[in-house]
Amino acid sequence: MTRRFGALLCALALALTLAGCWAADEPDEEDSAFWQEESSGAENTQDTPITAFALPYLQGVGLDPVTCPDGMQQTLGALLYEGLFTLDESFAPQGVLCSHYDRSDDCTAFTFYLREGVRFSDGSDLTAADVLATLRRAAQSERYGARFADVASMRVSNGALLITLTRANSAFPALLDIPIIKSGSEKSAVPPGTGPYLYVTDGEGAHLQRSGEWWQDKVLPLARIELRAAKDADTASYLFASREVHLLTADLTGSAGKLHSANTLLTDYAGTAMLYLGFNTQRAPLSSALLRSAIAGSFDRATVVSGYLAGHAEEARFPISPRSAVYPALLAQTFAAPALAAGLADAGITEDRPRTLTILVNENDSFKVSIAEYLSRTLSGGALTVTVRTLPWADYLTALESGIFDLYLGEVRLTADWNVSALVRSDGALNYGRYADEQCDALLDAFLADGSLPAAEALCRCLAENAPIAPIAFKSLSVLTPKGLVEGLAPTVSSPFYGFEGWTVRFDKT
């Protein structure tokens, strides 16, 4: 068992919460990199049988899915609330509260029709006005706001939801896995939702109870789920270690495999957080597209994944998750980046004219620092020397915004439409390298409008040849459960309980 099993949730709690937006990435004072298994008062709990399934929750913190904290409350909310869509293992939207939708030929206008017979947990009918109210709040929120950057209007007409966009986006439904609550209930501690469970308090405390109002005709593995109050992530982690709660979600990319024991089942699922190397395209010698492309092809992404992300990631050559149906896997295998020597020559870097470049990295993330140091070792040689400069988060961000850098190691959470406008358009909020290319903009527009693999290949080829950024990997997230307790786990980025009806809970195996 663990002394500091709370490190499991440290990275998750600090994960980026917006598509295309940065968030501070400042770990606990006791860096999770140095977590060690140590004995604790929970060391003998493996002999205690599990007789009921339990989840942790933050006591005294509301469950409104738009404003609640990341982590425990969101995990619990996945059983209380549903969205218009949910994302499957390949990030494809599957209709939930939306029965079907229409879109205009130019993919700028969508009409979403709600499933009939859906009721909230208080017995009232779901309406398009409820959906609209939640989405309008989401558009103003920190968690979901960036998804609505291209939304021109949202309104209700004849019981359907109409959304118009300022820019074509055929994959817009993939952005609408936002949990819906009853309009006007957002100030309630537990707003009514349409999910399979009710939040109930009685003489025995809080628990989840199978809802009699749930519209889906599915047999679920648990009629009741116990809830255990936790004051913070550390407490929840201790409860898991002592087998008092039985599911946690976590970002383990920096754990080096130490953050789970032989008695824990670890189930990874693909996330949308992309790790990448950014270039200052306005500063010589990185104004050379040939050099940028050469650098992007000169390091081993598999080494980064296995050696520095503990295997909890998938290497990626392009800014689309490899799990997506539109990831150009063949192009990733066949694309031939220029040799680094050719790139250096194109930029005028020779033995007689050597050059030193510096990678900026947030000093508070020891694992990113290690990755930057690996990149510096890999790229240095001959006429090129690459160094690493670590800065506190605020100084790091200031340097990026001011353009005072050569290269930087960054992380961003994308949305499942793989819209990288913020990173590569000339007016993009995260385009710190000041990259501008009309052809790239046109190919990005074509990809968003079409959403096909050929359109993705054309965009990714252009990005690989010009390399305003060099994608490295997409981080995975993890669900932790006691070994032997649950069979059939199939979590996705929308919910750790995706395919919940397929679970088998085996109390006799614990």
Side-chain angles (χ1 to χ4, degrees):
M1 287 300 103
T2 75
R3 172 179 62 86
R4 285 279 299 156
F5 211 82
L8 283 169
L9 294 182
C10 178
L12 182 62
L14 296 169
L16 304 175
T17 58
L18 290 181
C21 290
W22 286 93
D25 196 11
E26 300 178 3
D28 196 308
E29 289 294 328
E30 297 184 48
D31 197 314
S32 61
F34 304 107
W35 177 93
Q36 300 290 333
E37 285 195 14
E38 297 183 8
S39 62
S40 74
E43 61 188 343
N44 296 318
T45 58
Q46 297 307 320
D47 297 329
T48 304
I50 297 172
T51 59
F53 191 86
L55 295 172
Y57 72 103
L58 288 173
Q59 192 171 29
V61 177
L63 284 164
D64 172 26
V66 174
T67 60
C68 73
D70 289 349
M72 283 177 275
Q73 304 303 78
Q74 283 188 301
T75 297
L76 185 58
L79 295 172
L80 301 174
Y81 309 109
E82 298 170 310
L84 289 176
F85 299 89
T86 189
L87 300 181
D88 66 16
E89 65 280 355
S90 63
F91 301 99
Q94 305 297 323
V96 183
L97 299 181
C98 178
S99 61
H100 63 288
Y101 66 92
D102 297 327
R103 69 186 186 192
S104 61
D105 291 341
D106 63 358
C107 295
T108 61
F110 291 78
T111 302
F112 299 98
Y113 300 92
L114 300 189
R115 199 175 297 276
E116 296 181 358
V118 178
R119 292 185 177 86
F120 287 109
S121 56
D122 65 356
S124 60
D125 292 332
L126 171 73
T127 69
D130 294 307
V131 176
L132 178 61
T134 293
L135 296 187
R136 282 181 170 168
R137 290 178 57 237
Q140 301 301 314
S141 72
E142 183 180 0
R143 175 171 290 132
Y144 297 114
R147 301 188 184 198
F148 296 84
D150 293 330
V151 172
S153 67
M154 298 187 289
R155 62 187 179 90
V156 170
S157 178
N158 297 321
L161 177 68
L162 280 62
I163 299 181
T164 58
L165 308 178
T166 58
R167 178 182 290 130
N169 189 345
S170 61
F172 181 70
L175 308 185
L176 299 180
D177 62 333
I178 299 168
I180 303 300
I181 66 170
K182 184 176 179 177
S183 176
S185 69
E186 57 272 10
K187 293 183 179 180
S188 302
V190 186
T194 64
Y197 286 88
L198 303 173
Y199 180 94
V200 177
T201 56
D202 56 21
E204 299 179 11
H207 65 273
L208 299 185
Q209 176 180 306
R210 177 72 156 81
S211 174
E213 298 291 344
W214 194 42
W215 60 275
Q216 294 197 48
D217 187 22
K218 294 179 179 178
V219 177
L220 299 180
L222 297 164
R224 176 179 171 124
I225 297 174
E226 305 300 328
L227 298 178
R228 304 283 185 256
K231 65 178 181 179
D232 53 28
D234 283 350
T235 306
S237 300
Y238 179 81
L239 291 173
F240 182 84
S242 60
R243 291 160 67 91
E244 294 181 58
V245 300
H246 310 113
L247 184 146
L248 294 178
T249 58
D251 177 351
L252 302 181
T253 52
S255 71
K258 295 179 180 178
L259 294 177
H260 60 92
S261 72
N263 296 304
T264 300
L265 174 68
L266 188 74
T267 305
D268 279 358
Y269 60 98
T272 60
M274 181 182 71
L275 186 70
Y276 68 98
L277 185 65
F279 302 96
N280 189 338
T281 68
Q282 299 304 302
R283 175 183 287 188
L286 293 171
S287 54
S288 164
L290 193 70
L291 176 58
R292 298 194 303 267
S293 183
I295 290 175
S298 295
F299 55 86
D300 185 10
R301 289 163 172 81
T303 295
V304 175
V305 169
S306 62
Y308 300 95
L309 298 175
H312 300 295
E314 294 185 81
E315 57 184 282
R317 190 66 174 80
F318 311 115
I320 299 173
S321 169
R323 293 290 186 94
S324 171
V326 294
Y327 181 76
L330 182 60
L331 180 62
Q333 296 169 5
T334 59
F335 181 80
L340 185 56
L344 294 173
D346 184 73
I349 300 174
T350 66
E351 294 291 344
D352 295 331
R353 298 181 61 189
R355 190 66 183 260
T356 297
L357 299 175
T358 300
I359 302 175
L360 290 188
V361 64
N362 176 11
E363 69 178 22
N364 303 107
D365 189 322
S366 61
F367 293 94
K368 287 193 178 69
V369 172
S370 295
I371 293 170
E373 290 172 345
Y374 161 74
L375 293 174
S376 74
R377 292 192 302 271
T378 300
L379 298 173
S380 294
L384 179 65
T385 300
V386 178
T387 64
V388 174
R389 184 185 181 196
T390 62
L391 292 174
W393 171 255
D395 295 339
Y396 168 80
L397 187 58
T398 297
L400 295 184
E401 291 173 342
S402 303
I404 307 172
F405 66 92
D406 297 319
L407 307 99
Y408 68 96
L409 188 63
E411 181 181 330
V412 62
R413 179 173 291 179
L414 299 176
T415 41
D417 58 350
W418 315 117
N419 184 351
V420 293
S421 294
L423 289 165
V424 302
R425 290 191 192 274
S426 58
D427 59 350
L430 302 180
N431 184 4
Y432 300 120
R434 310 295 194 270
Y435 176 71
D437 186 319
E438 292 182 358
Q439 180 189 16
C440 175
D441 291 349
L443 290 172
L444 178 54
D445 286 337
F447 166 63
L448 292 174
D450 183 68
S452 67
L453 180 57
E457 288 178 340
L459 171 63
C460 289
R461 183 180 294 278
C462 179
L463 290 175
E465 291 174 346
N466 292 280
I469 59 173
I472 298 173
F474 277 84
K475 296 167 65 174
S476 301
L477 297 172
S478 304
V479 172
L480 292 89
T481 54
K483 184 165 290 185
L485 179 62
V486 178
E487 299 173 359
L489 280 163
T492 72
V493 72
S494 286
S495 171
F497 301 100
Y498 185 85
F500 191 42
E501 67 278 5
W503 282 26
T504 300
V505 181
R506 302 291 302 273
F507 295 114
D508 61 316
K509 295 293 186 180
T510 63

